[in-house]
Amino acid sequence: KANKRLAQLMPGLVRHLHDFCRENEVTVEEWSQSVEFLNECGRMSDDKRNEGQLFWDILGVESLVDEITYKVAADSGEKPTTTAILGPFWRPNAPIYPMGSSTILKDQGGDVTHMHGSVTDFTTGKPITNAEIDIWHTAPNGLYEQQDPEQPDMNLRGRFYTPDSGDYDFYCLRPTPYPIPFDGPAGKFLKLLDRHPMRPAHIHFIISAKGYKPVVTQIFDRRDEWLGNDSVFAVKDSLVVDFAPKQGDEKAGFDLKYDFKLVAV
Ligand code: DHB
Ligand code: FE
């Protein structure tokens, strides 16, 4: 069955592509390299790496369509929780944990953080019950668990459900800056452009609740040196947070409070 939206989009895409080739006098040799690149992205992609998405991300395309899709105006004043790109490393079916537990399944060092806050309705301020908080981040070695045979399955991933109070809390790590995978076609592409692969330290979230627009987002450590220079252009001011030293908790050296505000559908 024909796809109307595709039929609507293709003439513009083809026109821009053709104009681009004409304006730059792209040769058969150069075009062949793009074919090889696309094929290599396909060959290298599996459930552990996602080269196609990585490629769009280093060109800022996921970040752009995030902005277009969610249109939350820049970053000042009281706003619902801002979205950010999903990135290539989310996995479905992260383990479900009770509030107060930890996503850390193996001690690999790093700064344990007690993260807490609330999930509320942005308009009414009321707590949201049974909101799902799906969180994932890298280990201190800069790898997500599926990239790293040394980590247990589903390490540093978890899902938590808010009680009637809308409050949540769990233990995770203060994240570390890390390079996006540099050994595949997307990494090669960055090298050819003399660009660095670093992402500022971040924690990923998907917050969802019945009756509300789900929020795919990331939070960033204010102290990170790569904050202004993200290889995939995902940082937004309202998503930059402060980790505070924590006293009196033998499990965690840092405290992070962050409130999620959702908009009803
Ligand atoms: C990308 C996003 C991430 O969050 C990450 O950890 C690595 C890569 C990306 O957008 O390609
Ligand atoms: Fe990430």
Side-chain angles (χ1 to χ4, degrees), residues 79-241:
K79 289 271 163 53
T81 302
T82 311
T83 58
I85 65 173
L86 177 68
F89 300 116
W90 176 75
R91 286 183 66 194
N93 307 316
I96 295 171
Y97 294 122
M99 282 306 171
S101 33
S102 173
T103 62
I104 307 164
L105 303 181
K106 180 183 178 185
D107 185 3
Q108 297 176 291
D111 292 323
V112 179
T113 297
H114 184 231
M115 181 169 175
H116 57 98
S118 60
V119 183
T120 56
D121 180 312
F122 171 67
T123 314
T124 65
K126 292 208 175 107
I128 301 176
T129 307
N130 211 26
E132 181 184 88
I133 300 173
D134 188 343
I135 166 186
W136 68 105
H137 65 78
T138 62
N141 64 6
L143 295 172
Y144 288 94
E145 50 83 27
Q146 75 266 51
Q147 302 173 300
D148 182 3
E150 301 300 308
Q151 290 181 53
D153 188 47
M154 291 290 180
N155 189 34
L156 305 173
R157 295 175 188 274
R159 288 181 291 164
F160 298 86
Y161 293 88
T162 54
D164 288 348
S165 67
D167 294 338
Y168 74 87
D169 82 290
F170 51 76
Y171 292 88
C172 61
L173 290 175
R174 182 173 185 167
T176 4
Y178 98 110
I180 65 170
F182 214 37
D183 56 340
K188 212 183 291 173
F189 201 87
L190 285 176
K191 282 182 203 135
L192 290 170
L193 294 174
D194 202 18
R195 280 178 49 189
H196 74 78
M198 295 305 290
R199 292 223 58 207
H202 60 282
I203 304 177
H204 292 268
F205 298 93
I206 301 175
I207 313 295
S208 48
K210 198 162 168 260
Y212 292 88
K213 291 185 195 154
V215 172
V216 176
T217 197
Q218 310 182 16
I219 57 174
F220 300 90
D221 188 338
R222 191 177 311 280
R223 273 194 358 201
D224 196 281
E225 60 175 307
W226 299 99
L227 215 52
N229 203 356
D230 182 357
S231 57
V232 299
F233 314 101
V235 179
K236 299 176 184 177
D237 288 348
S238 62
L239 299 173
V240 177
V241 301

